[in-house]
């Protein structure tokens, strides 16, 4: 699914398996009619544990435009494992309009600020081979503000799965 969602970077199968085991509390899969429709991976950075880092967000092209990405992120923030999270952080390249629209929309919806700063620079960190990754930092988050009633996707009893 990641491979079908450019411009996301593909990671090794080993990395994806670690996400699904060690980081299952902070990752979610959305299913529609038995097929995977969406995936969000994230974690709380050890050095910044009041933040939730959204690593990759992927929505199948057939499932786009239904706020699925935002609903998966809200599902993750709604879990007991996200207790104490005050900020959502992520990185986005300048040309990813859909991703900026997603995170700017979430900041508006949560009535929170979005601060943008360069995190990984094209020349300094990527030797010119990858566009600069800008950090978007959204917060402070209020748990009640972040989840207007009826907004969150329902959670299946099996950890890590969300029904849409
Ligand atoms: C980015 C992505 C996850 C959004 O998923 P989605 O569930 O379709 O998003 P939503 O329906 O919640 O739309 C979010 C916002 O983006 C806007 N949007 C969606 N596609 C867009 C596009 N191609 N260009 C500009 N805006 C776009 C929507 O209008 C919406 O804006 P609004 O809240 O102001 O109405 C999906 O397009 C995707 O998988 N893209 C490829 C992978 C990627 O770039 N992931 C993000 C980087 S981590």
């Amino acid at each position: 699914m990641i491979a079908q969602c450019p411009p996301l970077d593909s990671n090794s199968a080993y990395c994806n398996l670690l996400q699904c085991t060690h980081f299952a509390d902070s990752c979610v899969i959305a299913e529609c009619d038995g097929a995977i429709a969406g995936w969000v991976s994230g974690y709380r950075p050890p050095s910044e544990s009041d933040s939730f880092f959204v690593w990759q967000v992927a929505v199948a092209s057939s499932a786009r435009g239904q706020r699925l990405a935002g609903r998966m992120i809200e599902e993750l923030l709604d879990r007991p494992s996200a207790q104490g999270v005050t900020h959502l952080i992520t990185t986005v390249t300048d040309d990813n309009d859909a991703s900026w629209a997603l995170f700017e929309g979430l900041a508006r919806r949560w009535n929170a600020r979005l601060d943008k700063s360069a995190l990984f620079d094209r020349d300094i960190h990527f030797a010119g081979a990858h566009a600069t990754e800008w950090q978007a930092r959204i917060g402070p988050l209020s748990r009640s503000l972040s989840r207007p009633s009826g907004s969150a996707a329902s959670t299946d009893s099996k950890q890590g799965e969300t029904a849409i």
Side-chain angles (χ1 to χ4, degrees), residues 22-94:
H22 294 173
F23 297 96
D25 277 351
S26 52
C27 297
V28 65
I29 283 275
E31 291 185 326
C32 186
D33 298 330
I36 294 178
W39 158 255
V40 179
S41 57
Y43 58 87
R44 292 175 75 164
S47 58
E48 212 178 330
S49 63
D50 58 356
S51 293
F52 186 96
F53 177 69
V54 173
W55 182 352
Q56 288 188 315
V57 187
V59 171
S61 50
S62 58
R64 290 184 189 167
Q66 304 174 54
R67 276 207 71 246
L68 178 55
R71 287 186 288 149
M72 289 190 292
I73 291 169
E74 289 182 342
E75 147 69 22
L76 290 174
L77 293 175
D78 209 25
R79 292 181 179 173
S81 55
Q83 196 163 7
V85 167
T86 62
H87 288 79
L88 179 148
I89 52 178
T90 192
T91 73
V92 184
T93 52
D94 246 342

